[in-house]
Amino acid sequence: MAGTTGVAVVGCGPTGLLLAGDLAEAGVPVTVLEKRPPGISNLTRAFALHARTLEQLDMRGLADELESLGHPMTRLGLFDGLTLDLSELPTRFPHVLVIPQYEVERVLERRAREAGAEFRHEAEVTELTQDASGVTVLGRGMEPLRASYVVGADGMRSAVREAVGLPFPGRSVIRSVVLADVRLSEEPPDLLTAGTTGDAFALLIPFGDGYHRVVGWHRSHDVPDDAPLDLAEIRDIVRAALGRDHGMHDPRWLSRFHSDERQVPTYRAGRVFLAGDAAHVHSPAGGQGMNTGLQDAANLSWKLAAVLNGRADASLLDTYDTERRPVGRTVLHSSGTLIRLAMANRPWTRALRSLLATLAAHAPALRRKALHQVTGLGYSYGPGPLTGKRAPDIPLPGNTRLYEALRPGGFVLLTQTPYRDADRPHLTTSAWTGPRTLLIRPDGHIAWTAKSPSPTELEQALVKHVGPPVRPTHSPVNSY
C-alpha cells in the first residue's frame, strides 16, 4: 500500500528545502525524499546569497538570521579592474552575502521541519509513473509513495529528470576545476579574493570557521574529474593566478569537477517539475547557481499551494516554465560569458575583455544592467511596464514593510483607499499612498495594477489572481 502526500520533493538541497518549507507552511502535505543519510554536509560548492534571494528569504522571515551567519560584501570584482559596487542596489540588501551553502540548508531544513514537512532519508528515487490524478514514486530504501505532484530538485544528475525522459542538452565549458577547503597562514586583505591571468584563475572565500574555500583552474591541468589531486597542485594554481598561495595548509577536502552549460527544454513534464540544478547548470561565475534554484522554488511553491488548496486552476502551473526557463537561460549565458572572459588568453580576446571592462566602468546604464542581472533584481515575469516586475519593499502603515506583509504566504493588495475582504483569508490588504492599486504575488512580483479601479474591476482582478471568495460555510478544497 503506497503512502500519500500532496507534493513529493526529491532532493534535500537549498532548492528542495525552500520549496518544502513553503508548501508545508501553506498547509500542503509534503514529503522530502533524499538519497543521502541524515545530516547536512559542509562539503559545499555554493557560497553566496545575492540581493533578490535575500529579499525572498526576507519574505519568509529568514534573511536576518542568515545575515548574522554570513559576511556582507559590497563590491564584486570581475576582471581587468572592473568592480561592481553593490551598495548602489535599490534594496534592503545592497551586498552579496558570503555564506556557505550548509548554513543556508540548516536554516531552511529547520523551517521545513517545524512547518510539518516529512523527511525520508536514504530514499533513492528510481521510477515515476504518472496518471491523470497523480504520480507514483518508486525507489530503493523507500516504500512506494503516491503524490499529486513531484518536484525534482535532485541536482545535475537528477534521477527525476531521467525518470521522465527529459534530455539535458548542452556541453562542458571548463574541465578540471579544483575545489579545496584549507586553512591560510596569511589572511587575505579582502573578504573575497579573485585573480586571473588567462591561463589560470583562483578564488578564495572564507567560511567563517577558520577555513577558506579555494576554487581554481589552470589551462595546463586539463585532466578527468577522477584524476588524483593534492594540495601541491592547488598551491601551484593559486600562485599562478594570485601571485601567492597565502600559506594554505591542513586541507579538509579536495575535489575536482567540470563545469557544464545545460538546460532542459521544459521545466514541466505532466505532474512532474524540475527546479535548480536538475533543470539548469552553468559555470560558477557570479555565484548564481544556488540563487537561481532558490528563486525557482519561490516561483513554483505558491502556485502548487494555490492549486492544491483549491484557489487556482491547474493551468497556473504552466506559468512556472514560461517564467523561470527564460531566467535560467539568461543566467546560463551571462555566467558563461563571464567564465569565457576570465579564461581569455589570446591577445584579441583579452583586448575585448579590457574594452568591455572599460565600457562598463564608464557606462552607468550598462553597469546597472549587469548589477541587476547578477543579483537577480532585474528579472521580470511580464511584458508590461509594471505587471510581472519585482515589487520593491514598500514601507506600509504601522511601521511595517511589504516583504513583512508577504510572510503569511499570500497575496498583498495595496490600495489608496481602505479595503477589507474577509472572504479571502489568503489576501492581506493595506492602504498606501502610491499612485496605483497594486496586487502583489506571494513571490513578491506584481500580479496586477490599475489606477483608481472600480469595485467591479478590483473584484475581477482578485477572482483571476487570488481566487473566488471563500464563504464561511465552505472550506478549501484539498486534492491530495
Side-chain angles (χ1 to χ4, degrees), residues 34-320:
E34 170 57 55
K35 67 180 181 181
R36 295 178 301 170
I40 296 175
S41 169
N42 63 1
L43 305 182
T44 169
R45 291 182 181 177
F47 59 86
L49 293 175
H50 282 298
R52 185 53 179 164
T53 306
L54 287 165
E55 290 184 341
Q56 292 287 351
L57 293 165
D58 191 20
M59 297 172 202
R60 292 154 177 82
L62 302 174
D64 288 345
E65 178 181 358
L66 289 166
E67 287 269 289
S68 72
L69 299 171
H71 304 277
M73 186 175 66
T74 57
R75 300 180 71 83
L76 189 62
L78 296 178
F79 43 76
D80 290 356
L82 175 59
T83 300
L84 298 180
D85 185 358
L86 304 178
S87 65
E88 302 173 4
L89 294 172
T91 174
R92 185 170 174 246
F93 307 100
H95 52 259
V96 58
L97 185 69
V98 177
I99 182 171
Q101 178 178 322
Y102 64 82
E103 292 284 16
V104 179
E105 290 180 347
R106 182 180 60 79
V107 171
L108 292 175
E109 180 172 341
R110 185 195 65 215
R111 170 184 178 246
R113 288 187 182 277
E114 290 176 351
E118 178 186 359
F119 284 76
R120 298 185 187 179
H121 284 271
E122 299 180 273
E124 184 176 358
V125 172
T126 58
E127 184 178 344
L128 302 175
T129 304
Q130 298 192 57
D131 55 42
S133 61
V135 187
T136 300
V137 185
L138 303 175
R140 288 183 284 271
M142 58 175 285
E143 296 294 324
L145 181 65
R146 181 72 174 170
S148 294
Y149 296 97
V150 171
V151 180
D154 51 342
M156 177 179 176
R157 297 174 179 84
S158 171
V160 172
R161 187 184 64 239
E162 184 175 340
V164 296
L166 281 175
F168 205 31
R171 59 174 180 160
S172 291
V173 182
I174 179 173
R175 293 207 327 163
S176 202
V177 178
V178 297
L179 301 176
D181 291 353
V182 300
R183 291 188 181 276
L184 301 180
S185 299
E186 304 170 13
E187 194 70 20
D190 299 317
L191 180 64
L192 187 149
T193 303
T196 179
T197 63
D199 285 327
F201 67 74
L203 179 68
L204 306 179
I205 315 108
F207 276 110
D209 61 355
Y211 277 85
H212 278 68
R213 163 59 49 83
V214 180
V215 183
W217 171 83
H218 199 289
R219 194 177 301 277
S220 67
H221 293 279
D222 187 8
V223 298
D225 290 354
D226 58 0
L229 176 65
D230 58 26
L231 187 59
E233 181 179 337
I234 303 285
R235 287 194 183 107
D236 288 344
I237 292 173
V238 173
R239 281 196 294 264
L242 302 180
R244 59 196 305 179
D245 64 20
H246 293 275
M248 59 181 63
H249 60 93
D250 291 340
R252 65 182 177 187
W253 182 55
L254 301 171
S255 180
R256 199 189 300 272
F257 77 101
H258 65 278
S259 178
D260 286 3
E261 288 179 349
R262 300 184 184 276
Q263 186 181 36
V264 289
T266 177
Y267 285 16
R268 181 181 187 183
R271 289 178 169 267
V272 178
F273 301 85
L274 297 174
D277 287 354
H280 48 78
V281 292
H282 43 80
S283 91
Q288 298 174 83
M290 176 170 63
N291 292 271
T292 307
L294 287 169
Q295 291 167 41
D296 288 345
N299 182 283
L300 179 58
S301 62
W302 71 269
K303 296 173 182 179
L304 283 169
V307 170
L308 288 169
N309 284 326
R311 296 189 302 270
D313 185 80
S315 61
L316 174 65
L317 299 174
D318 291 333
T319 65
Y320 169 64

